[in-house]
Amino acid sequence: METDKSITTARMTAELRRDLSPIYGDGEARAMIRLIFHSLKGWSQTDMVINADTPLSDYIIDKINDIKSRLLKNEPIQYILGEAYFYGINLKVSPDTLIPRPETEQLVDMIVKENTESDLRILDIGTGSGAIAIALSRNLRFAKVSAIDISEGALKVAEENATHLHADISFINCDVFEYSPKPDSFDIIVSNPPYIDDSEKKGMESNVLDYEPHSALFVPDNNPLIFYSKIVELGCKSLSNGGKLYFEINPRHAEELRQLLLDDGYQDVEIISDIYGKQRFIKCLRSDNKN
């Protein structure tokens, strides 16, 4: 079958914008088109302009049309392409893992900027694709990073990402409620655990509800801090004196979590807003000098 010489990069780009913009908006559609061409052709935005009049092969046309049909069903482009960009790296993602988000990049950036010492011992709880653990391993000096997750599928993806990105991480397949590290095992514990209330589902987009793993997203309305409570307890036992705890959080429960940390003897508890102005992070210190 011969290539249809009339379907050039420019024509395909225009068709994608026409079909995707009504659903995603023009800006998001343009971003998706750049990702598609980068994934399939290795092209930058400049390459797309240079090759605007280049006819596309039947293979590429079929691949693009398949991607478009899936996008029209609200499937996340990161799952379609099998990768997501996070803190300067490309990560493999799958339906076993959450798609890393800009807010979590901010959490990583905070940790990197605030912890300039060498040889820090770090634990990432609920690692998913390994995004946080890998980013910290690559950006902190000689850090010893461990990461746990209950999902074998997620850990397989995380291990592949770590291998590909040359990040030395100790992965552990276990339930955080059964995890019991030794005292003084870590200098930093970080977690982006499930924190969306079940009652919030009705207001969420279908691309999240229909495709991302619910076990990594939702908590019961009657116990929204279930994971935080366990991690706070774990931190009391396994963080070094002066060790730090970093959480990504649901703004709904920021004050409740702050009080939980204070009640358990943590110090310098600080709620921090994300790039959208929402209370999204909490950080604090563990001290043996508790009141």
Side-chain angles (χ1 to χ4, degrees):
M1 181 178 178
E2 294 184 0
T3 298
D4 184 347
K5 302 297 184 182
S6 65
I7 302 183
T8 62
T9 300
R11 176 178 164 184
M12 181 59 76
T13 298
E15 290 180 1
L16 286 169
R17 284 183 60 194
R18 179 198 66 202
D19 295 337
L20 297 177
S21 292
I23 298 176
Y24 295 99
D26 192 59
E28 185 69 15
R30 287 173 179 267
M32 288 177 170
I33 293 166
R34 290 194 294 270
L35 288 173
I36 291 169
F37 276 92
H38 183 267
S39 178
L40 296 180
K41 299 285 289 183
W43 286 354
S44 66
Q45 188 171 4
T46 301
D47 294 325
M48 291 173 63
V49 174
I50 293 171
N51 291 281
D53 296 326
T54 300
L56 298 174
S57 70
D58 291 328
Y59 172 79
I60 293 295
I61 292 168
D62 288 344
K63 294 290 286 186
I64 291 175
N65 284 332
D66 177 63
I67 291 169
K68 181 174 71 173
S69 68
R70 293 168 70 179
L71 287 171
L72 292 175
K73 296 175 184 176
N74 291 304
E75 185 174 351
I77 191 168
Q78 292 90 345
Y79 289 156
I80 297 172
L81 301 180
E83 61 183 9
Y85 183 83
F86 181 84
Y87 208 72
I89 54 179
N90 276 319
L91 292 168
K92 176 181 177 180
V93 293
S94 80
D96 287 311
T97 68
L98 287 182
I99 297 167
R101 285 163 168 82
E103 298 94 318
T104 309
E105 287 186 298
Q106 186 178 344
L107 175 63
V108 167
D109 197 52
M110 185 191 317
I111 297 171
V112 169
K113 289 178 178 177
E114 292 179 357
N115 298 276
T116 57
E117 308 95 314
S118 297
D119 304 297
L120 291 169
R121 301 164 299 164
I122 299 169
L123 174 65
D124 174 26
I125 297 177
T127 194
S129 65
I132 293 174
I134 293 169
L136 293 178
S137 177
R138 288 168 57 92
N139 288 278
L140 293 175
R141 291 190 299 163
F142 307 109
K144 182 180 180 182
V145 182
S146 301
I148 71 171
D149 205 292
I150 194 172
S151 168
E152 292 183 7
L155 279 181
K156 181 179 178 182
V157 173
E159 288 170 349
E160 290 178 12
N161 281 325
T163 298
H164 176 69
L165 294 164
H166 308 290
D168 185 12
I169 296 169
S170 174
F171 290 104
I172 306 165
N173 181 207
C174 73
D175 185 339
V176 66
F177 294 98
E178 299 176 358
Y179 182 57
S180 183
K182 295 178 181 179
D184 191 29
S185 295
F186 303 105
D187 302 302
I188 295 173
I189 294 177
V190 56
S191 185
N192 176 20
Y195 63 63
I196 302 172
D197 297 349
D198 277 332
S199 58
E200 294 182 85
K201 287 180 182 178
K202 59 182 179 293
M204 296 180 67
E205 299 291 338
S206 61
N207 63 328
V208 175
L209 282 177
D210 295 344
Y211 294 99
E212 298 201 55
H214 285 206
S215 61
L217 289 169
F218 298 109
V219 289
D221 289 334
N222 63 358
N223 195 4
L225 300 184
I226 180 171
F227 289 99
Y228 295 101
S229 298
K230 176 58 182 178
I231 298 168
V232 167
E233 175 191 337
L234 191 151
C236 286
K237 297 175 181 178
S238 63
L239 276 173
S240 59
N241 185 31
K244 301 175 183 178
L245 192 58
Y246 291 88
F247 283 132
E248 186 170 327
I249 66 171
N250 187 334
R252 281 185 168 193
H253 305 296
E255 288 298 330
E256 186 180 354
L257 181 52
R258 185 181 73 86
Q259 192 59 53
L260 172 66
L261 289 162
L262 291 171
D263 290 345
D264 274 47
Y266 286 87
Q267 299 182 350
D268 297 335
V269 180
E270 184 178 356
I271 298 172
I272 300 159
S273 295
D274 63 17
I275 52 180
Y276 306 108
K278 294 184 178 181
Q279 293 181 321
R280 186 63 65 191
F281 314 105
I282 280 186
K283 63 178 183 176
C284 58
L285 300 177
R286 178 188 173 273
S287 174
D288 287 338
N289 300 315
K290 300 174 183 177
N291 295 329

